[in-house]
Amino acid sequence: MGKLRKRMLTALAGVVAVTGLLSACGGGSGGSTGSGGSGGDKITMGFAQVGAESGWRTANTKSIQESATSAGITLKFSDAQQKQANQIQAIRSYIQQRVDVIAFSPVVESGWDPVLQEAKAAKIPVILTDRAVDSKDTSLYATFLGSDFIKEGEKAGEWLVKDAGSKPTNVVEISGTTGSAPALDRAEGFRNATKASPNIKIIASQTGDFTRAGGKQVMEAFLKAHKDIDVLYAHNDDEGLGAIEAIKAAGLTPGKDIKIITVDAVHDGMQALADGEINYIVECNPLLGPQLMDLAKQVVDGQSIPKRVETKETTFDQAQAKEALPSRQY
Ligand code: GYE
């Protein structure tokens, strides 16, 4: 815990920043080729989604499905219900069906090498979407499209360092799915940013599995065990929203008695921020569909693509949330 993990991905050259939010549906973002097809044949993509655990995931699924339609890509879609075994099974079935390209958002980081080797042997390119794997052999996938979760954790920690000043501050953390890239990295980034402030102490940390129910349950336990909680850092909005229910049920005021920092900036989170129940949100953009379809076309066409495509993101305080809410797509 706490020590820097050497990430293969960060070592890779050619990081390209592309604004997913700004790329119009079906428009060519980040690549020089627009809708280059593969000789008129319709591309078939097999997509193995993590599940439907959060508002973020719902927006992400919608973006992928809508972008496939507008890009003219046939999409085979599966929901793994947050289970790696289900994702592996789905990927194996896409290999058997000989799809043109496989994309998936790996629920956890480890344990993918065997199935990725099977895809490679079948000469089917794989695009990692949203979450990374820890495979040492980076030839097992064509590219990784998604956020920099360490940066997200750092942004959360930087806000707290400023807000807390020199005040003694006890933090509880509700982390994401154990072993997932965003949970590992958001924890690491937050610690990077707060470690030089001895007044900030993480007094408890437990997973809420990125769900509202999980966030509520963990917060209830935290409130029973600790009388002196100043701040909650939740790895996503849904966990934070669940925790708010537990805080209210304990007779405390979220956003005041306990300050709350979350990640994602989905609609319900932004509403809670505008209402003063959450204090700060670090954005994580779920609208990866248009970029994913562009990359899929390029890779099926045999073009070379960057090994890492990073989504651009921002942060929101209360005033910024109020301003952004009316035009928020998710
Ligand atoms: O933050 C969370 C979701 O992998 C970035 O997964 C994604 C995370 C997102 O369940 O809400």
Side-chain angles (χ1 to χ4, degrees), residues 48 80 83-93 111-112 115 118:
K83 293 201 174 64
Q84 182 173 33
N86 292 346
Q87 271 192 316
I88 291 176
Q89 210 181 355
I91 294 168
R92 290 214 164 107
S93 105
W112 298 102
V115 74
E118 290 166 33

Side-chain angles (χ1 to χ4, degrees), residues 3 19 31 39 47 62 86 122 154 159 180 206-207 217-218 268:
K3 71 176 155 52
T19 4
F47 189 93
K62 191 164 170 255
N86 292 346
E154 286 172 350
W159 180 83
S180 70
Q206 216 175 293
T207 179
Q217 216 183 326
V218 172
D268 291 359

Side-chain angles (χ1 to χ4, degrees), residues 168-172 197-204:
T169 302
N170 287 337
V171 181
V172 293
S197 305
N199 57 310
I200 297 176
K201 285 202 181 72
I202 303 171
I203 58 169

